[in-house]
Amino acid sequence: AEACGWAGEGFTDHDRDLTFEGVVFRANTGLTAHALEQTTGLAVDNSEALGALSDLSLSEADIEAGRYDGAEVWAWQVNWANVEERQLVFRGSLGEITRSGGAFRAELRGLAEALNQPQGRVFQKPCTAVLGDGECQFDLSLPGYAVEWDVTGVEEGRRFAFADAGGFAERWFERGAFRVLTGAAAGLVGVIRSDVTADGKRDIVLWEALRAPIALGDRVRLEPGCDKRAETCRTKFDNFLNYRGFPAIPGEDWQLAYPRRGGRNDGGSLSS
């Protein structure tokens, strides 16, 4: 039998459930798998998994909400009579997921897919780190930076109102994270486009609507935004020691520079 698991969910094309690795691989999903293409070079191993959508396994709402985007995937060949006799034949991540007619089709991408991403540092003025990640190292749990509020107004799935408790400057959360903690959209994250105060309420607008409904009373966590400038890193977060940009690097205008009579032509720095 073939068994496949991702994001804590397990599926098998056998006619009964199998259990190993602490996961129950369910047989009632109608799962089938295409042949796996593997190479000895750096080409990306690829395959597909097909299965039925149901509330007991994968629901259409979860796929639409993006809950499985980029999930890790493992696939085994298993002796159904003795699951200890098994072989891992694939490990990677989920790619594009499509659904129609009560079924889903998931693209499986091998570990070599990560090699397609750009590597190394970029020399530019703005910071290349993400606020709170391993390079930035800023602690978002520090008091006075993030807040948890209950939603008091929703419009078009991307505009939200909160009873402003004060303590945060206007636009404090712009470019920050909008993390849903409760309700149907729990676990989803959006990026904040604008943050203003109007009529005693905090008005938060996202760049894109979340792919699951948010109801009045749902609780969200708002995290501060960072515009990647050195000044912001220094004054807003007091974290300039971890700044990952190059604020003194010359701009592109140096390419158009030419000698001028009376000007400074000593080959020195163009930045002041």
Side-chain angles (χ1 to χ4, degrees):
E2 184 158 323
C4 184
W6 58 71
E9 300 285 351
F11 315 93
T12 178
D13 58 4
H14 190 48
D15 58 3
R16 66 181 180 86
D17 293 352
L18 303 176
T19 303
F20 58 88
E21 300 280 342
V23 178
V24 177
F25 297 82
R26 290 187 290 269
N28 61 351
T29 59
L31 178 77
T32 60
H34 287 186
L36 174 66
E37 297 180 9
Q38 293 179 305
T39 66
T40 57
L42 295 178
V44 178
D45 299 334
N46 60 82
S47 182
E48 283 187 338
L50 310 176
L53 292 167
S54 72
D55 291 335
L56 297 178
S57 54
L58 289 181
S59 69
E60 188 167 2
D62 285 342
I63 292 178
E64 176 65 26
R67 297 188 185 278
Y68 296 101
D69 291 354
E72 290 189 83
V73 181
W74 295 264
W76 292 267
Q77 283 186 334
V78 186
N79 178 359
W80 61 268
N82 180 10
V83 295
E84 295 301 319
E85 299 177 0
R86 60 181 184 270
Q87 179 183 12
L88 182 66
V89 296
F90 178 86
R91 182 180 176 185
S93 61
L94 280 182
E96 182 179 3
I97 304 177
T98 57
R99 66 207 188 282
S100 64
F104 71 89
R105 179 189 300 267
E107 177 189 16
L108 308 183
R109 298 175 177 174
L111 294 176
E113 172 69 18
L115 299 178
N116 290 329
Q117 301 176 6
Q119 304 294 324
R121 296 192 65 182
V122 176
F123 292 89
Q124 61 181 30
K125 286 187 178 182
C127 180
T128 56
V130 176
L131 183 65
D133 71 1
E135 291 188 333
C136 172
Q137 300 183 37
F138 182 76
D139 185 1
L140 286 168
S141 66
L142 290 174
Y145 284 94
V147 68
E148 294 182 9
W149 282 336
D150 294 334
V151 176
T152 59
V154 182
E155 184 179 339
E156 298 179 353
R158 57 187 292 267
R159 182 184 295 273
F160 304 92
F162 301 90
D164 189 2
F168 295 95
E170 192 158 302
R171 304 181 63 182
W172 179 265
F173 299 107
E174 282 187 9
R175 302 173 184 253
F178 181 98
R179 302 183 184 276
V180 186
L181 303 179
T182 63
L188 300 186
V189 182
V191 180
I192 298 172
R193 177 179 180 178
S194 69
D195 166 28
V196 298
T197 301
D199 299 327
K201 294 184 178 181
R202 202 79 177 206
D203 187 38
I204 301 291
V205 181
L206 305 185
W207 281 100
E208 294 183 358
L210 297 178
R211 293 184 286 177
I214 296 180
L216 299 181
D218 286 352
R219 195 162 186 83
V220 303
R221 174 182 170 87
L222 303 179
E223 295 180 352
C226 178
D227 60 9
K228 311 296 185 181
R229 295 187 304 128
E231 181 183 358
T232 301
C233 187
R234 183 185 298 109
T235 59
K236 184 174 181 177
F237 301 103
D238 191 22
N239 193 43
F240 190 68
L241 287 177
N242 293 316
Y243 189 71
R244 289 299 179 263
F246 300 87
I249 196 171
E252 295 181 354
D253 55 348
W254 69 270
Q255 300 179 22
L256 303 178
Y258 57 90
R260 291 180 299 172
R261 177 175 298 179
R264 191 179 70 179
N265 299 298
D266 58 5
S269 173
L270 294 178
S271 61
S272 57

